[in-house]
Structure formats: C-alpha cells, structure tokens
Amino acid sequence: MTKIEQVRRLLKKSQSPVFFTGAGMSKESGIPTFRDAIDGLWSDNRPEDLATPSAFHADPAKVRAFYEYRRATIRDCEPNAGHLAIAALENSGFHVSVVTQNVDGFHEAAGSSKVFALHGNIMEDRCNEGCPGSHAMGRHSGICPVCKKDALRPNVVWFGESLDDDLLLRSTVAIMTCDILFIIGTSGLVYPAAGLADLAMQRGFPVIEINPEATPFTEQVDIFLPGAAAKFLPKICGA
Ligand code: APR
C-alpha cells in the first residue's frame, strides 16, 4: 500500500479531522510569506518596523501602507487545490476543523466553515483600542467606526502580541478532540501556535505531515508526505 493509500484509509475511518496549516499551504496560491513581502519593495525595513505595536504607534501610515501592499498581492491570488480539497471533505460529511497560522483567509474563501485563524485575517481591520464591533473588511479610512479615533489597524497578530485567548482555547479543544491531525506547510518554529501540534503528538491518534522539507515534527509523525500541499490534498481528500 502506498503512503497516500494509507493516509486515505486512516482519514476514511475518522470523523473529526483537524488540519493545522502554515504558509506552505498557500504556496501554490502564490502568496508571498511575510518575509518574502519584506524582501521586495519594503526591503529597507526590518520586521519590527512594520509588524509591531510600536511601529504602528510611531508611524501608522507606513504600517497601513505596507498592509495595503500585502492585501493587493493577496487579492490577485486565490485558494488552491489544497484549500478546496479540505473544504470538499467537510461537504462530504466529515466534522473538519482548520487551525491556521495563515492570515490570507483562503480556507474560509474555499468554503471551510470551522476555521481558527490564530494570527488573524489580513483583509480585515479592527480598532487598536480594542473596540468591540470595529472589525470590518477592507479599510476606507483609519477611523474606528466605534470610538472615532484614528486607530484602525490590520486584524493580524503582530510580533510581541499575544494570540486571542478564546481562539487559542477553541483551537486546543479542536486538536485535543480530533481523531486524525494533518500538519501542513508549517516550519513548526513559531510558538505558541506550534505548541498545539506538539500537544497532539502525545494523544496517540494518527498524525500526518505534508511538507517538502523535514521539520521538528517530522520525526514524531506517523506518516510524512514530502511534497506540496496542493498536490497531496486532492489525492487524500478526494472521493
Ligand atoms: N506545500 C507544503 N508546505 C510547503 C510548501 C508547499 N507547497 N512550500 C513550502 N512549504 C513549507 C516549508 O518547507 C516550511 O516548512 O512551508 C513551511 C513554511 O514555513 P514558515 O514560512 O515558517 O511559515 P509558518 O510555519 O506558517 O510560520 C508561522 O510565522 O512569519 C510568521 O506569523 C507568520 O504565521 C506565520 C508564522
């Protein structure tokens, strides 16, 4: 039996798969990673000049311009065959959860309904002062519709910021109660998100990894599929 057949068989026996995804998931969509984006037009900047609370405080216009640039790139891209395969699995009756470190919103765009976007959604804004109800798609101005301050910022988690407690809790529950876990396209280096997959390793259900490169998870997973997410997922999730 090939590794793909083994994974298909394990998936078929499951009811509640979780897909834990990172930047590699969106590679075939053509989305540059945060670091790739900085390497281009913004190469005079360090990550801390563009993606920290202090950078926003010092120069909100510059930070917003950087995020508008990233949004424009993402608008030119679309979910790939991997995102679509995960969404189709849900439509065929599985209780699928997606826990993602990606901010592109492509799992939702592909049709997945239970997505925990640990690092936020880059296409949305929210008030930096924490106003409830300030979330909105796209920015028409920097003014928060609730407090009216010039405080709208992209709805992403910046360096030095904590993940949303509730989201982290719900992601942990999804991973602790799943019956098969897929770790896809993540280097496993960024905590606390990577810690969720570490937790799963101790549970004893099958853990599958898809990544062209080995990662800190690879030695511990049950099956490692070396290669692209968009190549393997349709073969695994397809009818
Ligand atoms: N399919 C699957 N995996 C791939 C593919 C592909 N086509 N191409 C690359 N990869 C793998 C790489 O081998 C690497 O292990 O995707 C991983 C991407 O790693 P990172 O760039 O570190 O991305 P990620 O793990 O998501 O980073 C976590 O760090 O930059 C911050 O907040 C940002 O959410 C991000 C977090």
Side-chain angles (χ1 to χ4, degrees):
M1 200 189 308
T2 66
K3 279 202 216 174
I4 293 184
E5 283 163 354
Q6 285 177 45
V7 176
R8 279 177 65 86
R9 191 171 280 199
L10 289 168
L11 179 61
K12 254 193 188 145
K13 280 200 272 176
S14 79
Q15 292 178 329
S16 313
V18 168
F19 293 82
F20 176 64
T21 67
M25 180 76 221
S26 292
K27 178 84 178 174
E28 278 78 30
S29 292
I31 296 195
T33 61
F34 176 76
R35 268 160 226 289
D36 288 343
I38 289 195
D39 282 348
L41 284 178
W42 293 81
S43 58
D44 290 343
N45 296 276
R46 298 164 303 162
E48 54 270 37
D49 299 329
L50 298 168
T52 56
S54 54
F56 183 67
H57 184 69
D59 193 344
K62 177 174 165 181
V63 171
R64 285 172 182 151
F66 171 65
Y67 279 90
E68 280 308 310
Y69 161 75
R70 289 191 65 197
R71 286 172 178 176
T73 319
I74 292 172
R75 277 188 206 107
D76 286 340
C77 301
E78 48 188 35
N80 63 51
H83 298 105
L84 295 171
I86 294 173
L89 194 65
E90 180 177 336
N91 286 335
S92 63
F94 288 82
H95 300 290
V96 176
S97 301
V98 178
V99 179
T100 187
Q101 299 164 88
N102 297 343
V103 293
D104 51 44
F106 278 10
H107 284 295
E108 295 91 332
S112 288
S113 66
K114 199 167 165 201
V115 180
F116 303 109
L118 292 173
H119 295 167
N121 184 329
I122 197 171
M123 306 312 273
E124 289 176 2
D125 282 310
R126 66 176 160 85
C127 182
N128 199 37
E129 310 271 320
C131 289
S134 61
H135 286 63
M137 286 302 280
R139 184 171 53 83
H140 302 293
S141 78
I143 307 296
C144 169
V146 181
C147 68
K148 312 291 182 207
K149 289 187 193 156
D150 185 22
L152 278 192
R153 56 166 279 183
N155 182 25
V156 296
V157 177
W158 280 329
F159 297 107
E161 292 186 315
S162 312
L163 303 198
D164 180 87
D165 281 341
D166 180 55
L167 204 52
L168 195 53
L169 180 65
R170 287 188 293 138
S171 304
T172 307
V173 170
I175 288 182
M176 295 306 278
T177 57
C178 75
D179 49 14
I180 186 167
L181 175 71
F182 290 84
I183 302 176
I184 303 174
T186 177
S187 58
L189 299 176
V190 177
Y191 279 77
L196 289 174
D198 289 340
L199 266 183
M201 305 289 187
Q202 299 152 18
R203 288 270 329 283
F205 51 70
V207 181
I208 320 296
E209 182 178 35
I210 304 177
N211 196 314
E213 314 272 339
T215 72
F217 301 122
T218 308
E219 295 258 294
Q220 305 167 63
V221 301
D222 297 291
I223 301 177
F224 175 57
L225 296 172
K231 170 185 147 194
F232 282 120
L233 284 167
K235 293 183 185 160
I236 292 167
C237 303

mmCIF file of all heavy atoms in Angstrom, residues 158-179:
data_model
loop_
_atom_site.group_PDB
_atom_site.id
_atom_site.type_symbol
_atom_site.label_atom_id
_atom_site.label_comp_id
_atom_site.label_asym_id
_atom_site.label_seq_id
_atom_site.Cartn_x
_atom_site.Cartn_y
_atom_site.Cartn_z
ATOM 1 N N TRP A 158 0.643 40.860 15.648
ATOM 2 C CA TRP A 158 1.992 41.366 15.381
ATOM 3 C C TRP A 158 2.999 40.741 16.326
ATOM 4 O O TRP A 158 2.630 40.188 17.366
ATOM 5 C CB TRP A 158 1.995 42.899 15.560
ATOM 6 C CG TRP A 158 1.444 43.646 14.380
ATOM 7 C CD1 TRP A 158 1.513 43.266 13.078
ATOM 8 C CD2 TRP A 158 0.756 44.903 14.407
ATOM 9 N NE1 TRP A 158 0.904 44.215 12.282
ATOM 10 C CE2 TRP A 158 0.443 45.221 13.072
ATOM 11 C CE3 TRP A 158 0.385 45.796 15.416
ATOM 12 C CZ2 TRP A 158 -0.215 46.395 12.721
ATOM 13 C CZ3 TRP A 158 -0.269 46.964 15.071
ATOM 14 C CH2 TRP A 158 -0.571 47.262 13.742
ATOM 15 N N PHE A 159 4.277 40.872 15.965
ATOM 16 C CA PHE A 159 5.345 40.407 16.854
ATOM 17 C C PHE A 159 5.170 41.091 18.209
ATOM 18 O O PHE A 159 4.906 42.298 18.278
ATOM 19 C CB PHE A 159 6.726 40.753 16.273
ATOM 20 C CG PHE A 159 6.998 40.053 14.958
ATOM 21 C CD1 PHE A 159 6.985 40.755 13.763
ATOM 22 C CD2 PHE A 159 7.231 38.676 14.919
ATOM 23 C CE1 PHE A 159 7.208 40.111 12.549
ATOM 24 C CE2 PHE A 159 7.460 38.033 13.707
ATOM 25 C CZ PHE A 159 7.447 38.747 12.532
ATOM 26 N N GLY A 160 5.307 40.315 19.243
ATOM 27 C CA GLY A 160 5.186 40.877 20.592
ATOM 28 C C GLY A 160 3.753 40.897 21.107
ATOM 29 O O GLY A 160 3.528 41.244 22.267
ATOM 30 N N GLU A 161 2.788 40.530 20.284
ATOM 31 C CA GLU A 161 1.388 40.484 20.738
ATOM 32 C C GLU A 161 0.993 39.038 21.070
ATOM 33 O O GLU A 161 1.560 38.095 20.525
ATOM 34 C CB GLU A 161 0.449 41.026 19.657
ATOM 35 C CG GLU A 161 0.637 42.522 19.424
ATOM 36 C CD GLU A 161 -0.385 43.090 18.463
ATOM 37 O OE1 GLU A 161 -0.634 42.457 17.412
ATOM 38 O OE2 GLU A 161 -0.910 44.170 18.745
ATOM 39 N N SER A 162 -0.005 38.913 21.937
ATOM 40 C CA SER A 162 -0.472 37.574 22.308
ATOM 41 C C SER A 162 -1.565 37.131 21.348
ATOM 42 O O SER A 162 -2.280 37.966 20.792
ATOM 43 C CB SER A 162 -1.104 37.586 23.699
ATOM 44 O OG SER A 162 -0.273 38.242 24.587
ATOM 45 N N LEU A 163 -1.708 35.822 21.238
ATOM 46 C CA LEU A 163 -2.846 35.299 20.478
ATOM 47 C C LEU A 163 -4.114 35.498 21.300
ATOM 48 O O LEU A 163 -4.056 35.589 22.525
ATOM 49 C CB LEU A 163 -2.675 33.799 20.203
ATOM 50 C CG LEU A 163 -1.420 33.327 19.470
ATOM 51 C CD1 LEU A 163 -1.634 31.934 18.921
ATOM 52 C CD2 LEU A 163 -1.034 34.276 18.357
ATOM 53 N N ASP A 164 -5.228 35.553 20.623
ATOM 54 C CA ASP A 164 -6.522 35.673 21.289
ATOM 55 C C ASP A 164 -6.762 34.414 22.152
ATOM 56 O O ASP A 164 -6.701 33.294 21.647
ATOM 57 C CB ASP A 164 -7.596 35.786 20.184
ATOM 58 C CG ASP A 164 -8.977 35.917 20.760
ATOM 59 O OD1 ASP A 164 -9.369 37.045 21.029
ATOM 60 O OD2 ASP A 164 -9.643 34.875 20.944
ATOM 61 N N ASP A 165 -7.016 34.645 23.440
ATOM 62 C CA ASP A 165 -7.148 33.524 24.384
ATOM 63 C C ASP A 165 -8.254 32.553 23.985
ATOM 64 O O ASP A 165 -8.082 31.333 24.035
ATOM 65 C CB ASP A 165 -7.514 34.046 25.790
ATOM 66 C CG ASP A 165 -6.303 34.588 26.502
ATOM 67 O OD1 ASP A 165 -5.174 34.248 26.087
ATOM 68 O OD2 ASP A 165 -6.495 35.368 27.453
ATOM 69 N N ASP A 166 -9.396 33.121 23.591
ATOM 70 C CA ASP A 166 -10.549 32.293 23.277
ATOM 71 C C ASP A 166 -10.273 31.425 22.037
ATOM 72 O O ASP A 166 -10.582 30.230 21.996
ATOM 73 C CB ASP A 166 -11.758 33.218 23.056
ATOM 74 C CG ASP A 166 -12.998 32.426 22.733
ATOM 75 O OD1 ASP A 166 -13.337 31.534 23.534
ATOM 76 O OD2 ASP A 166 -13.614 32.669 21.677
ATOM 77 N N LEU A 167 -9.634 32.054 21.060
ATOM 78 C CA LEU A 167 -9.298 31.332 19.825
ATOM 79 C C LEU A 167 -8.302 30.209 20.107
ATOM 80 O O LEU A 167 -8.415 29.090 19.588
ATOM 81 C CB LEU A 167 -8.681 32.353 18.855
ATOM 82 C CG LEU A 167 -8.731 32.098 17.379
ATOM 83 C CD1 LEU A 167 -10.135 31.789 16.934
ATOM 84 C CD2 LEU A 167 -8.201 33.333 16.642
ATOM 85 N N LEU A 168 -7.335 30.514 20.949
ATOM 86 C CA LEU A 168 -6.326 29.516 21.301
ATOM 87 C C LEU A 168 -6.978 28.354 22.058
ATOM 88 O O LEU A 168 -6.687 27.187 21.787
ATOM 89 C CB LEU A 168 -5.249 30.185 22.164
ATOM 90 C CG LEU A 168 -3.936 29.437 22.349
ATOM 91 C CD1 LEU A 168 -3.326 29.031 21.018
ATOM 92 C CD2 LEU A 168 -2.947 30.303 23.136
ATOM 93 N N LEU A 169 -7.900 28.697 22.932
ATOM 94 C CA LEU A 169 -8.595 27.655 23.706
ATOM 95 C C LEU A 169 -9.422 26.775 22.771
ATOM 96 O O LEU A 169 -9.362 25.538 22.833
ATOM 97 C CB LEU A 169 -9.499 28.307 24.764
ATOM 98 C CG LEU A 169 -10.280 27.339 25.629
ATOM 99 C CD1 LEU A 169 -9.331 26.511 26.496
ATOM 100 C CD2 LEU A 169 -11.275 28.087 26.518
ATOM 101 N N ARG A 170 -10.180 27.413 21.875
ATOM 102 C CA ARG A 170 -11.037 26.622 20.972
ATOM 103 C C ARG A 170 -10.193 25.778 20.001
ATOM 104 O O ARG A 170 -10.561 24.657 19.657
ATOM 105 C CB ARG A 170 -12.015 27.536 20.234
ATOM 106 C CG ARG A 170 -13.117 28.022 21.205
ATOM 107 C CD ARG A 170 -14.224 28.768 20.524
ATOM 108 N NE ARG A 170 -13.763 30.029 19.992
ATOM 109 C CZ ARG A 170 -14.100 30.517 18.804
ATOM 110 N NH1 ARG A 170 -14.923 29.855 18.036
ATOM 111 N NH2 ARG A 170 -13.648 31.684 18.403
ATOM 112 N N SER A 171 -9.041 26.310 19.598
ATOM 113 C CA SER A 171 -8.142 25.531 18.728
ATOM 114 C C SER A 171 -7.579 24.344 19.489
ATOM 115 O O SER A 171 -7.461 23.234 18.945
ATOM 116 C CB SER A 171 -6.968 26.393 18.254
ATOM 117 O OG SER A 171 -7.439 27.539 17.615
ATOM 118 N N THR A 172 -7.234 24.572 20.749
ATOM 119 C CA THR A 172 -6.685 23.484 21.568
ATOM 120 C C THR A 172 -7.732 22.390 21.733
ATOM 121 O O THR A 172 -7.432 21.199 21.577
ATOM 122 C CB THR A 172 -6.262 24.019 22.964
ATOM 123 O OG1 THR A 172 -5.397 25.128 22.775
ATOM 124 C CG2 THR A 172 -5.556 22.958 23.771
ATOM 125 N N VAL A 173 -8.967 22.786 21.987
ATOM 126 C CA VAL A 173 -10.039 21.792 22.148
ATOM 127 C C VAL A 173 -10.216 21.004 20.842
ATOM 128 O O VAL A 173 -10.326 19.771 20.850
ATOM 129 C CB VAL A 173 -11.370 22.462 22.575
ATOM 130 C CG1 VAL A 173 -12.532 21.488 22.503
ATOM 131 C CG2 VAL A 173 -11.244 23.054 23.981
ATOM 132 N N ALA A 174 -10.209 21.715 19.722
ATOM 133 C CA ALA A 174 -10.375 21.016 18.427
ATOM 134 C C ALA A 174 -9.268 19.986 18.237
ATOM 135 O O ALA A 174 -9.527 18.839 17.839
ATOM 136 C CB ALA A 174 -10.360 22.026 17.272
ATOM 137 N N ILE A 175 -8.050 20.370 18.565
ATOM 138 C CA ILE A 175 -6.929 19.448 18.353
ATOM 139 C C ILE A 175 -6.958 18.303 19.362
ATOM 140 O O ILE A 175 -6.687 17.156 19.025
ATOM 141 C CB ILE A 175 -5.588 20.217 18.386
ATOM 142 C CG1 ILE A 175 -5.469 21.048 17.100
ATOM 143 C CG2 ILE A 175 -4.409 19.266 18.529
ATOM 144 C CD1 ILE A 175 -4.206 21.830 16.940
ATOM 145 N N MET A 176 -7.346 18.590 20.588
ATOM 146 C CA MET A 176 -7.371 17.542 21.612
ATOM 147 C C MET A 176 -8.529 16.559 21.413
ATOM 148 O O MET A 176 -8.515 15.468 21.968
ATOM 149 C CB MET A 176 -7.464 18.160 23.019
ATOM 150 C CG MET A 176 -6.248 18.974 23.402
ATOM 151 S SD MET A 176 -4.698 18.069 23.255
ATOM 152 C CE MET A 176 -4.692 17.164 24.788
ATOM 153 N N THR A 177 -9.528 16.964 20.651
ATOM 154 C CA THR A 177 -10.679 16.071 20.471
ATOM 155 C C THR A 177 -10.783 15.521 19.049
ATOM 156 O O THR A 177 -11.773 14.885 18.698
ATOM 157 C CB THR A 177 -12.008 16.795 20.822
ATOM 158 O OG1 THR A 177 -12.106 17.954 19.996
ATOM 159 C CG2 THR A 177 -12.066 17.208 22.276
ATOM 160 N N CYS A 178 -9.776 15.788 18.229
ATOM 161 C CA CYS A 178 -9.860 15.264 16.858
ATOM 162 C C CYS A 178 -9.458 13.790 16.848
ATOM 163 O O CYS A 178 -8.967 13.270 17.848
ATOM 164 C CB CYS A 178 -8.992 16.071 15.903
ATOM 165 S SG CYS A 178 -7.222 15.781 16.028
ATOM 166 N N ASP A 179 -9.673 13.113 15.706
ATOM 167 C CA ASP A 179 -9.231 11.728 15.648
ATOM 168 C C ASP A 179 -8.191 11.483 14.553
ATOM 169 O O ASP A 179 -7.724 10.363 14.373
ATOM 170 C CB ASP A 179 -10.427 10.754 15.551
ATOM 171 C CG ASP A 179 -11.413 11.166 14.476
ATOM 172 O OD1 ASP A 179 -11.077 12.019 13.648
ATOM 173 O OD2 ASP A 179 -12.535 10.611 14.469
#
